Amino acid sequence: MTHPPYERPAPPGPSVPPGTTTAPAPPAAPPVAPPAAAPAPPAGRGALASGMTRLRAAATTEPGRLRILGAVLAALVVAFGAVTAVEVAYRAAAADDVVTRSQPLSADAAHIYRSLADADTAAASGFLAGAQEPPDVRKRYEDDIATAARLLVRAAANTDGSSQSAREIATLNEQLPRYTGLVERARAANRQGLPLGGAYLRYANQRMTSYLLPAAERLYEAETARLADDDRDARAWPWLSLAAGLLVLVVLAAAQRRAYLRTNRVFNRGLLAATTAATLVLLWLAGGHALARAGLDEARAHGQDSLKVLNEARINSLKARANENLTLVARGAVLTDDGKKDKYETEYGAGMGRLASALDEAHALADDTAGRAPVSDALRWVGEWRERHTGARQTDDAGDYDGALAKVIGGKDSTGAAFDRVDAALRKALDHEQDEFTRAAERGRGALTGLPAGAGALAVLGAAGAIMGVNRRLAEYR
């Protein structure tokens, strides 16, 4: 038997009364699209514009203006302290270089020149003494060579490798062994009684005067120029710091006047503290630098200038003594370029003239009795040296070579004894002027001690005072 398929009955719906017609359902409303988002402002410009807007809004109110004023005052005071610290630190470093580097190197360069010139003088004196060279003359020569070598090592350690000084030091280190080798050959030939010894000694002197002494002179000039640069940097006025300090004081005064006009209070303690701190920094800066300049000016006028002239005087005395000895060594074999005069005798006369002129200038520069007395002694003995030299030349021209030799390298009445007195007086004058320079330069350097750190600390305190003063006014609006 077949059954019809089974169908699930529909769920019961709402009852509809009989005879009622069912209306069709209205169509569904279409979905409403959300409104389009506004385009975002470009990155950065929106933040800047927003910030400027807030800043303009803040500036229209008194609390906002006070906050801006406090930030400006604190920034100006800190900037003043920073600029002062940097400028003064640079000048303090230059002043320290004058005392500890530039001037000592300049003095070492002059000492190198003097040692080389004195070694040449001692070599000629030892040669004239004959085969048995006096031990003291030999020791003097060896000490001079050792001193020059030691000072060259120290100068090389404190000089930039690419500078002119480094090139001159290299030349000196290269030529010094060649010179000492020629001197040893001259000494060996002289001991054997060979006339070749005189030629070797003249070659040694030629190398000294053509290579070593010019290089030492250029080294001295380079180090003296560096000393002048450091001295000029240390004495330069810190104009930027001074201008910044005056600007800070003007702005702080205007801020205090503004506070007085708006509150009728005479003083704002915070702003007054900031003004005091800025004033102290400015006075310390001006006074300390003025004292530093005074000390460095004194060091230059009464020390450095005198040292330069005295070094020239001593160098000329050593050259004159070497030429005086070589006059007897060469015995007229070396003439001037025109072939009319003895070369060494002519150079001796020129050197003595330069020596006398330098001593006159040094005497004028000396500012106390301790500085003038040794220069006066040197001048007196230069005159005695000239008289004795004239007598020695007259004896040599008369054909008495041994008599002339005794008057040049003999006892207390010789030209050598007069030269020793001149050299001792110049050494004493140099020591005195060196002490004068060092004391004055150290006073100048000491005037700047502590100023960079002090300026920074006072600037921080001044900025804190300015902020506290403004905050005190802000508290009145809360």
Side-chain angles (χ1 to χ4, degrees), residues 20 23 28 55 85 94 156 158 182 199 208 211-212 249 280 298 327 343 395 397 446:
T20 304
L55 185 61
N158 292 280
L182 290 171
M208 175 66 75
Y211 297 98
L212 285 164
L249 290 180
L280 288 175
E298 182 181 354
T327 301
K343 177 178 182 294
T395 302
D397 292 341

Side-chain angles (χ1 to χ4, degrees), residues 44-59 68:
R45 288 187 58 187
L48 178 61
S50 177
M52 292 299 297
T53 300
R54 288 193 298 269
L55 185 61
R56 284 193 295 268
I68 295 172

Side-chain angles (χ1 to χ4, degrees), residues 9 36 49 65 68 90 119 188 199 203 258 343 379 419 438:
R65 287 192 288 268
I68 295 172
Y90 176 76
Y203 294 154
R258 180 183 185 276
K343 177 178 182 294
L379 280 168
F419 161 76
T438 302

Side-chain angles (χ1 to χ4, degrees), residues 77-78 80-82 84-85 88 277 281 284-285 450-461:
V77 174
V78 170
F80 170 43
T84 300
V88 175
V281 174
W284 191 358
L285 172 65
L451 180 52
L458 286 173
V460 172
L461 292 176

Side-chain angles (χ1 to χ4, degrees), residues 121-139:
T121 299
S125 298
F127 185 89
L128 288 173
Q132 297 299 324
E133 185 177 5
D136 59 332
V137 177
R138 175 67 176 177
K139 184 177 185 303

Side-chain angles (χ1 to χ4, degrees), residues 370-413:
R372 285 189 294 269
V375 177
S376 299
D377 289 342
L379 280 168
R380 180 167 59 85
W381 282 104
V382 164
E384 184 68 22
W385 182 3
R386 279 175 161 167
E387 291 181 5
R388 296 180 183 183
H389 176 81
T390 301
R393 294 310 309 148
Q394 291 174 349
T395 302
D396 188 34
D397 292 341
D400 185 1
Y401 177 80
D402 292 335
L405 185 62
K407 291 184 177 181
V408 172
I409 63 170
K412 62 180 182 179
D413 294 330

